[in-house]
Amino acid sequence: MKKITLFKNLLIASCFIVGHSSAQSVSFTNASGSPVSCSSNPRGIVSADFNGDGKIDYAVGTATSNQVYIYLGQGNGTFVNAPGSPMTVGNGPIHISVADLNGDSKPDLIIPFYSDGTVGVYLGTGNGSFTMSGTALPAGNNPYFSAIADFNNDGKLDFAEVNQGTADVYVYLGNGSGSFTVTPSSPITVGSSPYCVVSTDFNGDGKADLAVVDAGTNAVEILLGNGNGTFTAATGSPIHVGPTPRLACISDFNGDGKKDLAVTNFGSSNLTILLGNGNGTFNSSSTPTGNAPYEVVPADINFDGKMDVMVSNALDNTVSVLFGDGAGGFTQATGSPVSTSPGTDPQSMCLAAFTGSHEIDIAVANYATSNVSILVEGTPFGIQESTITHSISLFPNPSNGTFTLQVSQLGVSLKLKICSALGKELKSVNITTLLTDISLNEVSAGVYFYKLMDGNQSVGSSKLVIEK
């Protein structure tokens, strides 16, 4: 049995857990040793547990060199170089995607090489180092960003990447061992200067779709998957957004179970929020950010069950924290924007629990100063003792996917919600007895959060580790 433990169990059995209020404030500070130096204009950054020690690490690409840095987390917001880091790769590794591409439960990397017109696939060894899978894959001119999904429904991960110079999308089908083949229908022509591609099922047909952000035409194109690696433009596509859009993220911002998009508009200092109708069409609104927003990342930051976003503002040297209202609107948190100083020109970022707490921390790549700011939440988000206290036990934790929840009392409407590390709800279980057996065999090994809800009030949360 393969075992991946990303975090130690932090819940003490039969403890009175602490509830989260709806406080709308944040307080981030640079971790010890932050910012972390790297060379030549870092841009793309992703986080995962690359060496299997239960602490979150990160990888960052340098846009104007041929290096990718792998930093191993120490569990307290500090990092050390992994074996072989910096890793020499192709020229211009601007953005990075991470997933287990060969089924060995170790994180792997997909890295477009902007200056070479190729894409590299790097398989994780489990100690923080990586080996290239075969040779670099052919791409269009200036490949920039990739999205990982199963495009032909064979149970194996594929990926799509956008090429700025040739204004097109290449789709690569995986064989499950870390090798990929370009589809015959590639390239797919899109609008001018595509910056980003993201993937989910926008129309509910069980097939992975694409959203492509076109900076040159100020639009987002929705390409609906046919389930065989080919795509068809959705009705109403392309969708107009703000000037010079950059990156996008996917979430459910209004709680209707349909996939939505948030897009950064670099030229107008705002986000376009596209609320999905469930058929590949969207309704548009906007919300202000700082100056020149580059990346937007979703998470339930204050644990209120509503999706929030963080936005890097390149010309302000800040990160905006915007709390969602559950209907698709956002309000800037007190204490936001958060300064990245002394780092300047923050662009890509990732969110993770770098300090081992249940709070969400930020790693942001500062392009101009060639370093990475590690911003940790010094005071828990709105944590206070709940007016409803529950003495609970959850065991075993770590679990192989089956566990038991024991509570000391039943509330008005008690539910246990299982969420991904960034707040996406995966399962909700009604708790009607003091002892409840729960199965999570459908989720993969990794770290998850659970939230105990009494009606609309969150009365506690902690981590759940799945080992397989």
Side-chain angles (χ1 to χ4, degrees), residues 22 120 239 306:
S22 57
I239 304 166
K306 303 167 186 176

Side-chain angles (χ1 to χ4, degrees), residues 17 76 169 219 223 276 279 282 311 437 442:
I17 58 178
N76 60 359
V169 177
L223 304 176
N279 60 358
F282 296 81
V311 184
D437 292 327
E442 68 271 24

